[in-house]
Amino acid sequence: MNNSVYKRLIKLVFNYWPHLVLSTAAAFFYVALNGISVWLTASLINNILSDFNKLILEQNNLSSAPILTLNEKIKYFTNELILRDTAKETLKMLCYSILIIFVLKNVFLYLKNVSLIVVQYRLITELRNKLYIHFHSLSLSFFNKQKSGELTSIIVNDVANMRQALTVGFQRMFVEPINIIAFTSLLFIISWQLALIAVIIIPLAGFVIIKISRSIRRKSRRTAVKIAGITNIITETLASIRVVKAFAMEDYEVRRFTKETENYYNLMFRRSRLRSIAPPITESLGVFIGVLLLWIGGSEVLTDKGITSEDFIRFILIMFSALQPIRSLSNVFAEIQVGAASAERVFNILDTKPSILDKDNAIKDITFNDSIVFDKVAFQYEDGESKVLKNIDFTINKGSVVALVGASGSGKSTLADLIPRFFEPTEGSIKLDKIDIKDVRIKSLRKLMGIVTQETILFNDTISGNIAYGQTEIDPRKIHSAAEAANANEFIDSLPEGYNTVIGEKGVRLSGGQRQRLAIARALLKDPPILILDEATSSLDTESEKYVQEAIDNLMKDRTVLVIAHRLSTIVNADKIIVLDNGEIVESGTHAELLDKNGIYKKLYDIQFN
């Protein structure tokens, strides 16, 4: 993983620097109070175990000593704070002090955590919004290459993985080393000889952490891919559940899913096993060093050589307190590796550039007054080996109906997709009123168009919401008028809640003909001057086709229409019929003219009607 990923992660976190400053400041106070609490706890144990008169004598000796070590100075100021006239009063003062320190310590701990929570959830929201906004900026070709389940996994799972790594992980990387340094400094103040033995654990633990973290990073990458695969299977299966049940393929889909989840389990288990092994190893190393120090330091106390009993108690408490941040740091590296692996996938999406962009000086305000002209247009997909369209030359005059016919794969839908700039011509140009559509702002161009496709796209919303898609403040009477013109008001009125009926995902509660009529009503309400109909009636039964065709006839009035026809009966009255074969225009004319030519169109017509 290159350093640029880490730089971008840090930059994301530091966008919230006020909260990070507050969290880090609170963490510093927490670290300081944590050290004081351990020091006072050692004093409490020593005061309970020691003779009070001896404590007073030691304090008097410290106050009269000409030179004090740093350890003796800290002990002197500690005793000045807690020592009182009697042992009981001293104990009471010590208990009050410990209580206050612990309360303050936890107040700062709360401030530290709350500040991080703000950063965490602001960050996760910002990233998801950025990804979702970026999805809408990408060209159609991007989505043709990607699995929807994988994109869903990135926006949900990978961003969630980054949350922990970007906030808790990075913050601990700053705070825990300071905690370790603070505790280690106290150890050296008490006894530098014993402290040298204690710090052996740090490089040993670091070596273990680095080794484990490298393996976690690799497994995290594979895990992110696996969960994306699982999400894709779920999305795909739920979208195709009718086909799954129709073919009695439930067992097959279950086997496919369980195989993926088993692979995911194995990866997760191995990664979690690695993450779980670092803290026990670190702690075991610490305990080993601790036992060694207990023996060495305890022997000095028992023989009354070197360290005092009070210092030894304090040393042991501080040393074991230092194990917690060391163990926490071992988890931090694992969290950051998981987050960084997910960040790679998120950044890969954010770094993807749209293949179709507006020019800097693109025309924003445009109307349609004359014609759409295809001028020697050719098209080839980025990963295609040959041209899908070749030398396309024709004109669609305003107010005319132009139909595209041809066998499947002849290039009809691709040609239609070039007009709203879902794809860009590889060669040639498309002009709207003599203006190259590449010079027009994409949104402005598409606002001139209404598109009704064979696959009707509806949303899990009310009927009114689907007809008025994207228009929040619209007169209900206009919605009803559009539905009436689309021959949809009859079935809408028969529904229990009428226009307020929620139709389910993709309009699953409606028939194919009803869904298509709603799509036509939506196009009618938009009232576009240019209309593209992509085999809008090809999947309907005869009765539904009648209603939908009437609706289409209403929709086509006073508009410029490009219609892709499968059923030739729907386009016999078109002003011009263009026949495509293998991506080229092979015939052109009216219905009667093409029948007289006795070419491809005549063959297609005979196949359908004879």
Side-chain angles (χ1 to χ4, degrees):
M1 187 177 300
N2 56 57
N3 291 329
S4 65
V5 171
Y6 292 110
K7 288 177 183 177
R8 292 177 72 172
L9 289 175
I10 293 169
K11 186 177 178 181
L12 278 174
V13 174
F14 275 92
N15 286 335
Y16 301 93
W17 65 266
H19 292 93
L20 287 174
V21 168
L22 177 59
S23 178
T24 305
F28 285 149
F29 281 110
Y30 170 77
V31 167
L33 291 168
N34 196 32
I36 294 170
S37 68
V38 175
W39 191 280
L40 289 177
T41 302
S43 297
L44 176 64
I45 296 170
N46 182 63
N47 286 4
I48 293 170
L49 298 177
S50 301
D51 178 63
F52 181 69
N53 292 325
K54 185 180 177 183
L55 288 175
I56 296 295
L57 180 62
E58 287 178 356
Q59 180 68 358
N60 291 332
N61 290 336
L62 289 174
S63 63
S64 60
I67 299 174
L68 295 176
T69 64
L70 185 55
N71 181 33
E72 289 170 335
K73 286 179 181 178
I74 296 173
K75 281 198 289 186
Y76 173 76
F77 286 117
T78 304
N79 289 335
E80 281 289 297
L81 173 68
I82 61 175
L83 279 178
R84 294 295 181 265
D85 295 334
T86 65
K88 192 171 183 181
E89 287 295 319
T90 299
L91 180 61
K92 184 191 292 185
M93 186 62 191
L94 187 54
C95 289
Y96 282 148
S97 300
I98 291 174
L99 180 62
I100 292 168
I101 292 296
F102 269 88
V103 168
L104 286 173
K105 182 178 83 168
N106 284 287
V107 166
F108 284 111
L109 178 63
Y110 174 78
L111 285 174
K112 175 178 80 76
N113 291 337
V114 166
S115 300
L116 277 180
I117 288 169
V118 172
V119 176
Q120 280 183 6
Y121 291 103
R122 284 288 183 194
L123 188 62
I124 198 172
T125 302
E126 181 193 344
L127 273 174
R128 283 189 176 137
N129 289 344
K130 275 186 175 180
L131 277 170
Y132 191 72
I133 292 167
H134 191 64
F135 283 157
H136 286 286
S137 74
L138 293 172
S139 307
L140 202 60
S141 57
F142 169 82
F143 298 97
N144 291 342
K145 298 173 187 174
Q146 300 293 328
K147 298 175 182 177
S148 59
E150 185 168 350
L151 296 178
T152 303
S153 177
I154 289 171
I155 204 170
V156 176
N157 298 310
D158 286 316
V159 172
N161 287 340
M162 290 174 68
R163 175 183 64 85
Q164 187 75 5
L166 285 172
T167 52
V168 177
F170 275 112
Q171 208 264 0
R172 281 185 187 168
M173 281 192 71
F174 288 110
V175 174
E176 299 301 9
I178 295 169
N179 220 344
I180 293 167
I181 290 168
F183 281 128
T184 305
S185 299
L186 290 175
L187 293 178
F188 274 94
I189 288 170
I190 296 167
S191 172
W192 66 267
Q193 296 94 335
L194 293 178
L196 281 176
I197 300 172
V199 296
I200 293 172
I201 186 176
I202 296 174
L204 286 175
F207 176 77
V208 171
I209 290 166
I210 290 168
K211 282 289 184 183
I212 292 172
S213 294
R214 286 176 180 169
S215 184
I216 288 173
R217 182 175 64 196
R218 292 192 298 271
K219 286 178 174 56
S220 294
R221 287 173 180 166
R222 294 200 293 270
T223 301
V225 172
K226 282 295 177 187
I227 194 63
I230 290 170
T231 307
N232 189 65
I233 289 174
I234 295 170
T235 306
E236 195 175 64
T237 304
L238 293 178
S240 312
I241 194 69
R242 183 184 292 272
V243 175
V244 172
K245 290 188 174 297
F247 282 79
M249 296 301 287
E250 291 92 342
D251 292 341
Y252 167 76
E253 292 296 340
V254 168
R255 285 196 302 273
R256 190 161 72 106
F257 183 77
T258 52
K259 182 181 178 182
E260 285 295 316
T261 54
E262 184 65 24
N263 291 336
Y264 178 68
Y265 162 78
N266 290 330
L267 271 173
M268 285 292 290
F269 176 74
R270 290 198 293 271
R271 191 184 78 178
S272 298
R273 187 176 60 191
L274 282 169
R275 291 182 67 171
S276 299
I277 201 171
I281 289 175
T282 305
E283 188 163 307
S284 297
L285 288 169
V287 169
F288 175 78
I289 300 297
V291 170
L292 180 63
L293 290 171
L294 276 171
W295 171 254
I296 297 170
S299 299
E300 288 186 2
V301 172
L302 291 173
T303 57
D304 202 19
K305 293 178 181 178
I307 194 169
T308 64
S309 60
E310 179 186 359
D311 284 340
F312 182 62
I313 292 169
R314 188 171 282 122
F315 187 94
I316 293 299
L317 284 176
I318 291 171
M319 190 199 70
F320 280 104
S321 296
L323 289 178
Q324 176 56 37
I326 291 173
R327 184 169 54 195
S328 178
L329 202 59
S330 68
N331 283 328
V332 165
F333 280 97
E335 288 169 358
I336 287 176
Q337 296 307 325
V338 172
S342 289
E344 281 186 320
R345 289 162 55 79
V346 170
F347 290 147
N348 282 340
I349 297 292
L350 290 175
D351 291 341
T352 302
K353 302 296 183 185
S355 57
I356 302 173
L357 292 168
D358 285 327
K359 292 182 178 180
D360 293 336
N361 57 346
I363 300 168
K364 292 183 179 180
D365 299 318
I366 188 168
T367 56
F368 177 54
N369 302 305
D370 185 36
S371 63
I372 301 169
V373 177
F374 281 73
D375 183 15
K376 295 183 176 56
V377 170
F379 177 76
Q380 181 176 348
Y381 288 106
E382 291 177 12
D383 52 355
E385 295 181 0
S386 59
K387 292 178 181 178
V388 179
L389 296 172
K390 292 163 276 188
N391 199 32
I392 302 296
D393 264 312
F394 72 95
T395 299
I396 306 173
N397 292 315
K398 183 180 180 180
S400 66
V401 177
V402 175
L404 299 177
V405 299
S408 296
S410 59
K412 303 185 298 294
S413 295
T414 303
L415 190 153
D417 284 343
L418 296 178
I419 300 175
R421 291 186 70 192
F422 292 150
F423 301 97
E424 296 277 44
T426 310
E427 298 172 16
S429 64
I430 302 171
K431 293 178 180 177
L432 183 80
D433 292 350
K434 298 181 181 179
I435 300 171
D436 194 321
I437 61 172
K438 290 182 180 179
D439 297 327
V440 180
R441 191 165 174 257
I442 294 172
K443 285 186 178 180
S444 301
L445 178 68
R446 291 175 185 170
K447 282 180 180 178
L448 297 174
M449 301 176 191
I451 301 174
V452 180
T453 61
Q454 178 181 355
E455 182 187 1
T456 308
I457 307 299
L458 296 175
F459 302 92
N460 187 24
D461 196 356
T462 62
I463 285 175
S464 289
N466 273 283
I467 294 174
Y469 175 61
Q471 302 181 58
T472 53
E473 297 179 5
I474 188 86
D475 188 341
R477 288 175 296 184
K478 291 184 177 180
I479 295 174
H480 295 176
S481 296
E484 186 175 355
N487 276 342
N489 60 323
E490 184 180 342
F491 82 81
I492 294 172
D493 290 337
S494 68
L495 295 171
E497 296 180 61
Y499 284 85
N500 293 320
T501 303
V502 177
I503 60 175
E505 189 177 2
K506 295 186 177 180
V508 69
R509 296 177 187 173
L510 303 178
S511 70
Q514 290 170 339
R515 290 196 296 270
Q516 197 67 290
R517 279 178 273 172
L518 284 190
I520 292 167
R522 183 166 63 198
L524 277 164
L525 189 64
K526 185 180 179 183
D527 194 23
I530 300 168
L531 185 64
I532 298 173
L533 301 174
D534 189 352
E535 301 195 49
T537 62
S538 64
S539 61
L540 303 179
D541 56 65
T542 305
E543 185 177 357
S544 296
E545 183 184 3
K546 176 188 173 185
Y547 284 112
V548 172
Q549 190 58 51
E550 287 178 4
I552 287 174
D553 291 341
N554 290 332
L555 179 61
M556 290 168 62
K557 287 177 183 176
D558 303 319
R559 301 183 205 280
T560 304
V561 183
L562 178 69
V563 53
I564 298 171
H566 174 71
R567 297 182 181 179
L568 301 185
S569 59
T570 62
I571 49 108
V572 291
N573 295 320
D575 298 301
K576 183 190 293 183
I577 300 171
I578 293 172
V579 183
L580 289 175
D581 185 42
N582 196 27
E584 294 184 89
I585 296 175
V586 291
E587 293 175 10
S588 177
T590 64
H591 172 69
E593 289 169 350
L594 291 175
L595 287 179
D596 289 340
K597 286 184 179 180
N598 201 27
I600 291 178
Y601 181 82
K602 178 70 164 57
K603 290 179 182 177
L604 292 172
Y605 186 83
D606 289 343
I607 289 170
Q608 285 194 25
F609 292 98
N610 294 331

